[in-house]
Amino acid sequence: MRKRAAVLCGAAVIVAGTFTAVPAEASAPHSAPKLTWKGCGTTNYPTLQCASLKVPLDHTNPHGQQITLALSRVPHTAKKYQGPLLVNPGGPGGSGLTLAGFVASTLPKEVAAQYDVIGFDPRGVGKSKPALTCKPGYFNPVRPDSVPSTPAIEKANLQRAKSFAKACGDKYADLLPYINTISAVQDMDSIRHALGAQRINYFGYSYGTYLGAVYAKLFPERVRRLVLDSVVDPTGVWYEDNLAQDYAFNDRHLAFMAWVAKHHATYKLGTDPAKIEAKWYAMRAALAKKPAGGKVGAAELEDTFLPGGYYNGYWPYLAEAFAAYVGDKNTDPLVEAYDNFAAVDAAGDNSYSIYTSVQCRDADWPRDWEQWRDDNWAVYAKAPFMTWSNAWYNAPCAFWPTDSLEPVDVANGELPPVLLFQATGDAATPYHGAVTVHRMLHNSSLVVEQGGQNHGISLSGNACLDKHLAKYLADGTVPRSGGEVDAVCDALPDPKPLSSTSSASSRGTTLHGLLGFRG
């Protein structure tokens, strides 16, 4: 698909599961003549710096139209310099500028000090220019019920999806062919070149794991260290992966119901998870007829509770809103939860525009709506929580105005040791995806959070996971078992109701605010 260098440059030397900590090209910082860094620190991340980089819209035509990438950096401070560490929060469509500050401040100081931690807004995202927004206000409430129980509801949702795809094509016909994972990966290599580095270190969450795996496939000689957390199944991009999510998110919703039952003394919703689930669906049915606060209908309710499938730290807030509606007929907490977790602002409009542009271009999607209908009704019968919500979220791909690329086969035997993190109960990127990538990346090690339920697990408060991450970034050490799993960490305990929420959840809340949802 793309030519890559045939000669390995500065390949790492592997010795007993480790490799050289400081390759020659990273022993001292390189000048970056193409980048001008300026202070853009925040209260939380005062040392953050920002720059911009022009790259070709079409990398096969390097002297053609140029676009601009927004970059961020927390510079290294130690004498021992291990090169740039690029970070990505996923999406596609997630902004990585602030993530650089979070990663640099959350890693052990002695480890972070050895890297230039580099964040970036991928092409089309955030502060990169042009930033795509196909249809502002696309998610404004109240939307049609996601479950197409009548032909009229299905028609309304189909019209929305078609109108979004058409809006993207009308506004960005010249750009859409170049909004895809391969182009974003080529941008990453342009960032590497501008930084003056022969090789990069990379740390990606969620979709960022696919981005990293594709980079490693196209530029294996450019990879020094590679961390993939909450791993996308690259064999299912993207239609099959989305169907697989639906079962996993339903499981997470049932786990939330069981947690609410366990805390009946607080929420007064009962002790039988099945009966509590029935109350949730009764709430959904009532909101479909009369939206809370005039804006939380059935579709918006699903959007509000979906984040709980990504991160159980949100459960206490969602449970309070649920209990207030059922027990007291009070809609205010539900509206507040929607505003906090689900309402889509201008940044969200931009993120969704890139999400669809990348996913619809990356791989083939069924163009026959009959297949979508049949597949999603079949899944809905077993996993009703978010199946149709997810289907409509991706439905513009059935009508997308560009053709599709071939998915990248990320199988790779040319890499130094790679570190993978995965929770067994992750809904957004189910566990089997990490096992698949572990097999495909021949020199990878898989660290599993046993019983973990969240999406995005390292730097989220689990000291066992973070120890593996720190050791790898410090000197390249990875665990090796020779089996399907190389190391196991116990999951963090479930959250407590709000009155006694532990401080350990605060780091996780910060991280998941940066990762976002649907990623």
Side-chain angles (χ1 to χ4, degrees):
M1 189 174 298
R2 288 287 185 273
K3 293 182 180 179
R4 56 179 171 82
V7 180
L8 291 175
C9 296
V13 178
I14 304 171
V15 181
T18 67
F19 62 101
T20 52
V22 188
E25 71 269 19
S27 60
H30 290 271
S31 61
K34 297 180 182 178
L35 297 174
T36 301
W37 295 100
K38 297 180 180 180
C40 60
T42 65
T43 301
N44 291 331
Y45 312 117
T47 61
L48 206 61
Q49 301 172 348
C50 292
S52 60
L53 175 67
K54 289 190 179 299
V55 297
L57 175 65
D58 177 0
H59 281 272
T60 66
N61 181 19
H63 302 295
Q65 182 179 347
Q66 303 289 296
I67 59 175
T68 302
L69 303 178
L71 311 181
S72 65
R73 176 179 75 168
V74 176
H76 74 284
T77 56
K79 290 183 179 179
K80 180 179 178 181
Y81 177 65
Q82 301 209 50
L85 173 63
L86 273 65
V87 298
N88 180 271
S95 168
L97 299 181
T98 305
L99 183 64
F102 174 82
V103 170
S105 65
T106 310
L107 284 170
K109 289 182 180 180
E110 65 275 14
V111 176
Q114 298 175 27
Y115 290 91
D116 287 341
V117 183
I118 307 293
F120 61 100
D121 280 355
R123 55 174 52 202
V125 174
K127 293 186 178 180
S128 292
K129 297 177 182 179
L132 277 61
T133 298
C134 295
K135 194 170 186 180
Y138 181 69
F139 288 100
N140 285 354
V142 173
R143 310 196 310 275
D145 192 328
S146 65
V147 179
S149 55
T150 68
I153 294 174
E154 182 178 46
K155 183 178 179 181
N157 279 301
L158 274 173
Q159 185 54 44
R160 289 187 74 251
K162 291 177 180 177
S163 70
F164 187 86
K166 184 177 186 301
C168 289
D170 289 346
K171 290 180 72 172
Y172 303 118
D174 295 340
L175 297 178
L176 290 184
Y178 306 103
I179 307 296
N180 57 72
T181 296
I182 292 173
S183 294
V185 156
Q186 292 168 321
D187 290 344
M188 287 169 55
D189 205 54
S190 295
I191 295 171
R192 175 201 61 77
H193 180 71
L195 293 169
Q198 290 188 29
R199 292 188 288 163
I200 63 168
N201 309 280
Y202 178 84
F203 179 12
Y205 291 95
S206 191
Y207 163 77
T209 66
Y210 183 65
L211 190 68
V214 174
Y215 181 88
K217 180 68 172 187
L218 299 187
F219 302 103
E221 73 283 4
R222 301 298 188 190
V223 175
R224 182 171 178 268
R225 292 193 182 137
L226 187 67
V227 182
L228 308 180
D229 183 323
S230 304
V231 185
V232 166
D233 182 353
T235 67
V237 294
W238 290 108
Y239 184 74
E240 295 297 334
D241 278 353
N242 276 283
L243 291 175
Q245 283 183 335
D246 298 336
Y247 295 103
F249 272 106
N250 200 74
D251 288 343
R252 301 300 332 120
H253 192 57
L254 295 179
F256 171 57
M257 297 297 129
W259 181 86
V260 172
K262 181 179 177 181
H263 294 286
H264 169 67
T266 299
Y267 302 116
K268 305 294 192 296
L269 286 167
T271 58
D272 183 342
K275 291 181 179 179
I276 296 172
E277 183 189 15
K279 291 178 181 178
W280 192 91
Y281 282 102
M283 174 174 67
R284 187 193 187 283
L287 292 170
K289 296 177 180 178
K290 184 181 179 181
K295 63 179 177 180
V296 184
E300 290 75 26
L301 180 74
E302 291 167 339
D303 293 349
T304 303
F305 279 76
L306 177 64
Y310 282 86
Y311 175 52
N312 60 13
Y314 298 135
W315 285 1
Y317 302 94
L318 297 174
E320 286 203 344
F322 181 16
Y325 183 90
V326 173
D328 303 326
K329 306 304 179 187
N330 180 4
T331 62
D332 291 344
L334 191 60
V335 173
E336 182 180 1
Y338 167 79
D339 288 338
N340 288 337
F341 298 139
V344 177
D345 58 10
D349 283 333
N350 165 243
S351 180
Y352 180 67
S353 296
I354 296 299
Y355 173 91
T356 47
S357 297
V358 171
Q359 294 222 337
C360 300
R361 177 73 166 134
D362 264 3
D364 283 327
W365 292 76
R367 295 287 182 154
D368 180 1
W369 184 253
E370 294 289 335
Q371 182 177 342
W372 290 69
R373 181 188 292 122
D374 291 347
D375 289 345
N376 282 280
W377 275 122
V379 175
Y380 177 83
K382 300 178 180 179
F385 169 56
M386 71 159 281
T387 294
W388 276 109
S389 173
N390 202 19
W392 295 120
Y393 196 81
N394 292 282
C397 291
F399 313 103
W400 203 247
T402 69
D403 58 4
S404 299
L405 300 171
E406 289 294 319
V408 177
D409 178 0
V410 303
N412 204 326
E414 303 180 48
L415 299 174
V418 172
L419 187 59
L420 312 177
F421 290 102
Q422 185 67 37
T424 54
D426 185 351
T429 52
Y431 178 79
H432 65 84
V435 174
T436 299
V437 171
H438 184 26
R439 292 171 181 158
M440 296 176 79
L441 303 185
H442 297 173
N443 210 9
S444 63
S445 291
L446 175 59
V447 177
V448 167
E449 187 181 44
Q450 186 66 41
Q453 306 168 352
N454 296 330
H455 177 68
I457 55 174
S458 61
L459 301 185
S460 188
N462 188 318
C464 174
L465 297 173
D466 292 352
K467 182 179 178 181
H468 285 292
L469 175 63
K471 287 186 69 173
Y472 177 64
L473 291 178
D475 61 16
T477 299
V478 294
R480 298 287 194 198
S481 74
E484 182 175 279
V485 174
D486 294 286
V488 175
C489 292
D490 292 334
L492 295 174
D494 281 344
K496 303 294 185 184
L498 285 177
S499 60
S500 58
T501 297
S502 67
S503 60
S505 69
S506 61
R507 184 196 290 179
T509 300
T510 301
L511 173 64
H512 288 86
L514 294 172
L515 300 186
F517 313 120
R518 303 277 191 180

